[in-house]
């Protein structure tokens, strides 16, 4: 079927469309009910189906004669290691580690937090949880102890899985002290903590609570996959919202598995046996969907890369990995290639490597700026495909449907809505806008399979954030427009979420930290444009009367506080003392205007502003 036909059917007859796509996976009990409306707002997919996601990712390939194929390649320039696991080998390790978890009392429905670096055991941990029907929640290693504690209290895990350290280029970061601090801080206490000892650092184990990963695995028996209902949760993944409290996006098993299998073909054009590399981290949704589940459910070889696009050891790192492992499809964030381009503008490193295996490069996670698009296309001669999605959706809302026929890419556009997503541009009142006009990007309900089924433990936040603002639609939080030819352009968030090096962060959360400094009376954190990372946060701070602290001292303290509280990944490095903050008469800080001033863009002075002269003061401050 052509893209047009496929899209039309998915919108007009979603049940037939997804019933057909559900046949792509191996169900324990195939679903009879395809789409069910559960209430005014929510729907479920494949309600009466039964399956096991780990079975699809591993056992199914053994049954189908793919056991000897490489499932996972671990490539770690930071340790100088490379390791390959066939489907048979990965299956054996996962089945045994699932046994180890079961021995520690983990069963179906229990939550398990995984706080790990990019090593094979992180993937094994996720799959072992899925095998037992336990719900994993992976926390990105760049988050500080406080962030981990917040997630421990929200997910109330039975167990935490971690490693003794992560490695950031040449910096070894001990993880266990962070985990210990988080457990101390959290009200909920997990029953145990299982620690993988890496050779760079030996973690201290607390008697009775902490266990050595290798010992537990060595003494465990393999266990079989536990069938779960399609609507049972597979994982919780926390993402930033507009408040300080992260949202636990819940993904179910059935819809997710179907969406993963379908999107690997549609969006990436990946076939069983292809070598697929998502250069991201298992702590982000890209890692969940396209390092682990998508490629493995499809029978691809997936690459787990413990390194950076530059400095490990140089800007040729990505090309080296492609050449070494004959990568067919590469997916990363635009910021990674901005970093490569900055260090190697002529792409000289490409001369050292044979990247002829590579068929296309996919980019997402932030806006793909046309200069990066042009550079990458010119230097590689490959199709460069932008696609737009979110932690919430788990797979591309808009893409270039390369699996069923590539469309002519347009720089700056994520191309067309994926089948299943009825994308509309609405104005502030929720009315449809004309082609070419910029507004709120919304998706008419129901969302397709694989999208979030809720926010963990907080149904009212789920409804309020996503489903209530635009009745009948999912509110994406992104702004954009659709052009005359139906191409979708995503222009950025309409809320206080910012995107730093492809990482989604909440300015509201940073504001809470900055505001807690004893000298700070009021503050505002905004994202300003950055050539490399897309955006960087900057704090505008109003001091308390009588506070005498110097700017540099305050800035150092605030930077340290944000690192301590949220983590280095926030990249909060600048704060500015101001005399006043621009506000509406009702007291709301005019963040959008501040952002425009900081980026040197034109802005209109809102009629609701309390005192317009403040804007001139702020402009002067930014100029200096
Ligand atoms: N564990 C611990 N610390 C981490 C970490 C992790 N997993 N990931 C990042 N950090 C730390 C870094 O060490 C750095 O700390 P520092 O301030 O002490 O130097 C800080 O967080 C910022 O890291 P990063 O954003 O990686 O910036 P960078 O300047 O080191 O590298 C890029 C810049 C562009 C090369 C890098 O951001 C990158 O590779 N981006 C790709 C983005 C990506 O994969 N996004 C995923 C979504 S697809
Ligand atoms: P995350 O949930 O971390 O994947 O971040 C999702 C957000 O990243 C989206 O809401 C967008 O703001 C932004 N984003 C992701 N992909 C794109 C893209 N291709 N173009 C523009 N913005 C994007």
């Amino acid at each position: 079927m052509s893209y047009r036909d496929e899209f039309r059917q998915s919108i007009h007859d979603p049940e037939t469309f997804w019933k057909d796509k559900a046949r792509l996976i191996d169900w324990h009990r195939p679903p009879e009910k395809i789409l069910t409306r559960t209430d005014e707002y929510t729907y479920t997919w494949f309600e009466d189906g039964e399956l096991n996601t780990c079975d699809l990712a591993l056992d199914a390939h053994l049954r189908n004669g793919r056991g000897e194929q490489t499932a996972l390649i671990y490539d770690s320039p930071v340790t100088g290691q490379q390791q390959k696991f066939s489907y048979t080998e990965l299956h054996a390790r996962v089945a045994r580690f699932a046994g180890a978890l079961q021995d520690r009392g983990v069963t179906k429905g229990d939550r398990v937090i995984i706080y790990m670096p990019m090593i094979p055991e992180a993937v094994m941990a996720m799959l072992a949880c899925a095998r037992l029907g336990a719900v994993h929640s992976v926390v990105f290693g760049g988050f500080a102890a406080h962030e981990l504690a917040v997630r421990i209290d929200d997910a109330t895990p039975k167990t935490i899985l971690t490693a003794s350290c992560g490695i950031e280029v040449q910096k070894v970061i001990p993880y266990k002290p962070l985990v210990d601090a988080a457990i101390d801080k959290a009200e909920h206490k997990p029953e145990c903590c299982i620690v993988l000892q890496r050779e760079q650092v030996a973690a201290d184990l607390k008697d009775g609570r902490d266990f050595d990963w290798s010992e537990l695995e060595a003494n465990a028996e393999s266990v079989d996959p536990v069938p779960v209902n399609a609507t049972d949760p597979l994982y919780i993944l926390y993402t930033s919202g507009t408040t300080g409290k992260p949202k636990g996006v819940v993904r179910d098993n059935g819809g997710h598995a179907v969406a993963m299998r379908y999107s690997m073909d549609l969006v990436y054009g990946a076939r069983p046996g292809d070598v697929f590399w998502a250069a991201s981290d298992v702590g982000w949704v890209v890692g969940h969907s396209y390092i682990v589940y998508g490629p493995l459910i499809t029978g691809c070889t997936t690459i787990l890369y413990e390194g950076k696009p530059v400095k490990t050891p140089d800007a040729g790192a990505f090309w080296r990995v492609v050449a070494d492992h004959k990568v067919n499809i590469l997916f990363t964030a635009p910021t990674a290639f901005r970093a490569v381009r900055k260090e190697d503008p002529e792409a000289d490193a490409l001369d050292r490597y044979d990247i002829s295996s590579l068929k296309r490069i996919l980019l997402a996670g932030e806006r793909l700026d046309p200069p990066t698009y042009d550079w990458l296309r010119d230097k590689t001669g490959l199709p460069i495909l932008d696609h737009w999605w979110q932690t919430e959706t788990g797979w591309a809302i808009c893409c270039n449907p390369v699996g069923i026929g590539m469309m002519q890419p347009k720089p700056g556009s994520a191309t067309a809505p994926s089948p299943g997503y009825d994308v509309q541009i609405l104005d502030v009142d929720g009315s449809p806008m004309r082609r070419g006009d910029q507004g709120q990007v919304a998706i008419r309900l129901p969302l397709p399979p694989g999208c979030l089924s809720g926010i963990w433990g907080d149904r009212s936040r789920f409804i309020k954030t996503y489903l209530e603002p635009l009745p009948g639609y999912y509110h994406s939080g992104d702004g954009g427009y659709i052009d005359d030819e139906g191409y979708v352009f995503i222009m950025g968030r309409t809320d206080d979420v910012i995107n730093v090096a492809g990482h989604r962060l909440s300015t509201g959360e940073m504001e809470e930290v900055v505001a807690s400094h004893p000298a700070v009376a009021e503050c505002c954190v905004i994202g300003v444009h950055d050539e490399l990372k897309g955006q960087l946060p900057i704090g505008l701070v109003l001091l308390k009367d009588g506070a005498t602290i110097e700017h540099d001292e305050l800035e150092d303290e605030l930077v340290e506080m944000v690192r301590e509280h949220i983590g280095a990944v926030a990249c909060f490095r600048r704060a500015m003392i101001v005399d006043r903050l621009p506000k509406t008469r009702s007291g709301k800080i005019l963040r959008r205007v501040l952002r425009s001033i900081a980026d040197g863009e034109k802005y209109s002075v809102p009629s609701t502003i309390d005192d317009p002269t403040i804007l001139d003061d702020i402009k002067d401050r930014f100029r200096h």
Side-chain angles (χ1 to χ4, degrees), residues 69 71 115 187 220 250 273 299 340 354 390 402 438 527 581:
Q69 184 197 306
Y115 184 71
E187 273 176 36
V250 181
V340 172
D354 172 7
Q390 311 177 315
V402 64
Q438 195 164 319
L581 285 167

Side-chain angles (χ1 to χ4, degrees), residues 34-307:
I34 304 301
L35 177 64
T36 313
R37 184 165 193 165
T38 36
D39 60 35
E40 181 191 352
Y41 294 107
T42 50
Y43 298 79
T44 55
W45 287 100
F46 313 123
E47 200 181 79
D48 57 351
E50 273 182 22
L51 76 166
N52 181 283
T53 299
C54 177
D55 175 77
L56 298 176
L58 300 174
D59 308 55
H61 301 305
L62 270 47
R63 291 196 290 275
N64 297 332
R66 203 171 277 286
E68 295 315 304
Q69 184 197 306
T70 303
L72 177 73
I73 299 175
Y74 167 57
D75 184 306
S76 170
V78 297
T79 60
Q81 262 182 292
Q82 287 196 10
Q83 222 177 333
K84 289 186 180 177
F85 300 84
S86 67
Y87 271 99
T88 302
E89 288 163 343
L90 189 60
H91 173 268
R93 289 285 309 267
V94 169
R96 198 184 263 265
F97 188 63
L101 287 177
Q102 196 175 54
D103 293 344
R104 299 304 334 147
V106 175
T107 58
K108 185 176 161 195
D110 286 339
R111 273 81 56 213
V112 175
I113 280 190
I114 300 174
Y115 184 71
M116 294 189 68
M118 288 285 284
I119 55 176
E121 285 77 3
V123 177
M124 293 170 193
M126 292 164 77
L127 292 167
C129 290
R131 196 168 188 82
L132 296 174
V135 183
H136 62 68
S137 185
V138 183
V139 178
F140 177 61
F143 282 124
H146 169 81
E147 289 291 316
L148 183 55
V150 168
R151 287 153 175 79
I152 293 174
D153 277 335
D154 198 72
T156 59
K158 186 169 248 178
T159 303
I160 297 190
L161 309 179
T162 191
S164 56
C165 67
I167 304 165
E168 278 289 297
V169 190
Q170 283 162 352
K171 215 172 22 177
V172 174
I173 302 172
Y175 275 21
K176 188 63 182 0
L178 292 169
V179 173
D180 288 342
I183 296 176
D184 284 349
K185 225 171 175 182
E187 273 176 36
H188 171 82
K189 305 293 174 197
E191 283 172 21
C192 77
C193 185
I194 303 178
V195 186
L196 185 95
Q197 299 283 17
R198 300 186 78 184
E199 64 185 43
Q200 293 77 8
V201 169
D204 288 336
L205 302 186
K206 277 196 174 45
D207 256 358
R209 189 198 71 186
D210 299 343
F211 295 87
D212 180 87
W213 186 301
S214 308
E215 266 175 38
L216 290 190
E217 193 181 322
N219 294 322
E221 299 282 329
S222 303
V223 296
D224 287 335
V226 175
V228 299
N229 290 333
T231 53
D232 283 338
L234 169 68
Y235 68 76
I236 307 167
L237 178 57
Y238 287 88
T239 189
S240 302
T242 49
T243 68
K245 190 169 186 272
K247 297 179 282 199
V249 165
V250 181
R251 189 98 54 220
D252 68 12
N253 275 274
H256 172 255
V258 174
M260 287 301 99
R261 183 64 190 85
Y262 175 58
S263 63
M264 282 297 288
D265 186 356
L266 174 89
V267 183
Y268 305 97
R271 308 277 182 262
D274 276 345
V275 181
F276 189 92
W277 179 25
S280 178
D281 189 289
V282 287
W284 306 115
V285 70
V286 175
H288 283 63
S289 294
Y290 299 110
I291 294 176
V292 184
Y293 291 112
L296 294 179
I297 290 174
T298 304
C300 294
T301 298
T302 189
I303 295 189
L304 187 74
Y305 174 67
E306 191 181 27

Side-chain angles (χ1 to χ4, degrees), residues 480-518:
Y481 65 94
I482 302 181
D483 77 4
D484 290 344
E485 294 179 305
Y487 280 68
V488 182
F489 290 75
I490 302 299
M491 304 308 288
R493 300 288 304 191
T494 54
D495 54 18
D496 297 327
V497 168
I498 59 170
N499 199 310
V500 179
H503 306 144
R504 177 166 156 185
L505 299 163
S506 156
T507 53
E509 193 171 9
M510 292 185 219
E511 276 174 18
E512 281 181 19
V513 180
V514 173
S516 68
H517 188 284

Side-chain angles (χ1 to χ4, degrees), residues 365-367 386-391 478 490 493 499 504:
E366 55 171 335
R367 185 171 148 72
D386 186 5
H387 57 314
W388 166 59
W389 52 296
Q390 311 177 315
T391 303
D478 278 306
I490 302 299
R493 300 288 304 191
N499 199 310
R504 177 166 156 185

